[in-house]
Amino acid sequence: MKTIKLFSIIFLTSLILTSCVEEVIIEEDVYIEPQPFVNSNTGMSLGTLLNMYEIWYVDIERTQGNVEIPFLQKAFTVSFKNGTFFANNNLVGMGNNGNGFGLDVGIYDLFRKEVDITHDIDGKYTFQVTQFSNNEIQLYDIHSQTSYYLIGHQRNNFDYDRVFYDNIHYFLQEYKTWEKVFTSEYGVLNEFDNENYLKFSYHGSGENFKSSQDAFGTPIQNIFYDYTGHYEIRNVINTFDKKTLTLDYDYLGNEFFELSVINDNTIELFHPASKTVYQFIGRGYIQFKSSENEKATQSNKKRFKKADFIKLSK
C-alpha cells in the first residue's frame, strides 16, 4: 500500500512540474530579430573574408552617412591583396589596369574585425567590417559613422563592360578634351561640322560642356572654347552599349547624337538630323588617383553611379 501511495505522489509531482515547464515556455515566447552574418560566427578570419573575392564593387547608392570617404567615393571597385589596397578609379582601361585589380593606391592592416586602410593620398581610415551575406560586406568608418557596402566578385565573371557603359559620363570626363579626327563624306552640311573640340566636365559644375572651332592640333592649353552648355546622356532601350548624347547649347538650341565607344580613347557620334558621322579621340588623359584631380568629381559620383549590373553578374 505504501509503495502504491509513493508512486502516486511521484506521478502527480511529475505532472505538476511538467505543467509548470510548459507554461514557462509559452509565457516566455521572445522574438529574436535576425542579425547579419559576422565573419566570427562562420569561423572565418577577416583576411580570409576579404580575400574570398578578387574585387569588391562599391555599391555607392547604398552609402549611409553625411561624410564621404574620398578614396571609396571615387572607386568603382577595390581589392585587398597581400597587404596592398587596389582600386579601379577610372573607366579608361578598366579590366586591364593591374590585371583587372586597378591601381595600387595604398596598404591595409587587419585587426580582428577591423581593417586599417592607408591611402596614398587621403591618409588612414579605420573600418569595422560586417559580413551581410556570402558576397556582401559593410565597411563602417568609426569616426565619421559612415557606411559603405561592397559586393564581391571574381575577375573572370565581373561585368566590366556593364560598369563602363552604366557610368559612361565619367568616361567622357577622363580626358581634358576630345578632338574631332573624322567626318563622314556623306551627310548634310550642318553647323556642328565646324566644331573640332568637345570638353566635358562633371555634373553640377555649371556649363558642363564646351566646344571649340580651333584648328586641329591646337595645344590643349591654347584651345579657346567658343560655345558652352549642358550635356545629357540617356540609355537606348534594349541596347546597353549604345547611348544618346544631347548637347544643350546656351541660347543656341540642342544637338542630338547617338554615341558609340570604339575604344578607350575614341568615340563615334552619329548626327541623325544630318546623317553625318563624327569620330573624336581623347586628349590629355586624367588618371584619377590624386585627390586634387578628383576633388570635384568624387562629390557627384553618388548621384549618378549605377549598380544595376550587380544583379546580372551574381
Side-chain angles (χ1 to χ4, degrees), residues 125-193:
Y125 288 80
T126 297
F127 300 93
Q128 291 179 347
V129 183
T130 302
Q131 182 182 10
F132 279 85
S133 67
N134 287 336
N135 73 327
E136 182 180 0
I137 61 175
Q138 175 197 54
L139 297 186
Y140 175 72
D141 177 41
I142 299 171
H143 300 292
S144 68
Q145 299 182 346
T146 300
S147 295
Y148 283 83
Y149 294 86
L150 312 184
I151 311 298
H153 296 269
Q154 307 302 350
R155 286 175 297 166
N156 60 2
N157 62 15
F158 184 67
D159 198 341
Y160 290 99
D161 288 340
R162 191 60 181 263
V163 178
F164 181 93
Y165 283 101
D166 278 350
N167 296 278
I168 199 168
H169 45 281
Y170 294 118
F171 171 64
L172 297 180
Q173 299 167 20
E174 290 181 6
Y175 290 96
K176 293 180 179 179
T177 195
W178 292 84
E179 181 178 10
K180 185 190 292 179
V181 294
F182 172 80
T183 301
S184 63
E185 294 183 0
Y186 54 85
V188 179
L189 292 175
N190 66 92
E191 293 184 359
F192 192 77
D193 287 341

Side-chain angles (χ1 to χ4, degrees), residues 1-12:
M1 189 70 178
K2 290 182 179 179
T3 303
I4 296 174
K5 184 176 181 179
L6 181 60
F7 176 78
S8 300
I9 292 172
I10 294 172
F11 178 73
L12 290 172

